[in-house]
């Protein structure tokens, strides 16, 4: 599994489009805007957590991959978003 992590720092759609060209399976993107503020292309899914809609922690993965947020996840833990992808904790 190819994982790319990048602090997108004030995310713009242009930055997101460039990052997705790296063709990783999973992208971990600190400081990305919430899903309603960005467009994720078809074939990808995104989960996000944060206090501000313009900056949070986002994880984007290819839709063909099995991904779940574990039941033990506590949203009060800021900037921690566990995702189990293909039965591996990410």
């Amino acid at each position: 599994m190819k994982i790319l992590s990048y602090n997108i720092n004030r995310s713009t759609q242009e930055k997101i489009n460039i990052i997705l060209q790296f063709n990783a399976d999973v992208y971990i993107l600190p400081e990305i805007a919430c899903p309603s503020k960005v467009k994720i292309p078809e074939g990808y899914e995104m989960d996000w957590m944060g206090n501000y809609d313009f900056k949070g922690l986002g994880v984007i993965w290819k839709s063909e991959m099995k991904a779940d947020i574990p039941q033990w996840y506590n949203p009060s833990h800021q900037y921690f978003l566990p995702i189990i992808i293909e039965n591996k904790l990410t």
Side-chain angles (χ1 to χ4, degrees), residues 5-73:
S5 179
Y6 177 74
N7 185 325
I8 201 161
N9 189 15
R10 299 190 185 229
S11 69
T12 63
Q13 191 63 49
E14 182 181 7
K15 287 182 183 180
I16 293 166
N17 295 342
I18 290 169
I19 289 168
L20 291 175
Q21 291 177 10
F22 285 92
N23 197 33
D25 299 307
V26 179
Y27 300 86
I28 301 169
L29 302 173
E31 299 194 27
I32 191 170
C34 70
S36 66
K37 302 274 185 194
V38 298
K39 293 180 184 176
I40 303 302
E42 190 173 319
Y44 289 92
E45 295 188 40
M46 178 180 182
D47 214 323
W48 181 91
M49 66 84 53
N51 293 328
Y52 309 101
D53 62 356
F54 63 90
K55 180 169 83 169
L57 176 62
V59 178
I60 299 172
W61 64 91
K62 291 182 177 178
S63 299
E64 64 201 36
M65 303 180 78
K66 182 180 181 279
D68 296 301
I69 295 177
Q71 292 180 349
W72 50 261
Y73 169 60

Side-chain angles (χ1 to χ4, degrees), residues 78-90:
Q78 292 186 337
Y79 310 111
F80 175 71
L81 184 61
I83 296 186
I84 299 185
I85 298 177
E86 299 293 322
N87 297 318
K88 296 177 185 170
L89 180 62
T90 304

Side-chain angles (χ1 to χ4, degrees), residues 1 8 30 66 74 76:
M1 177 181 347
I8 201 161
K66 182 180 181 279
N74 182 346
S76 68

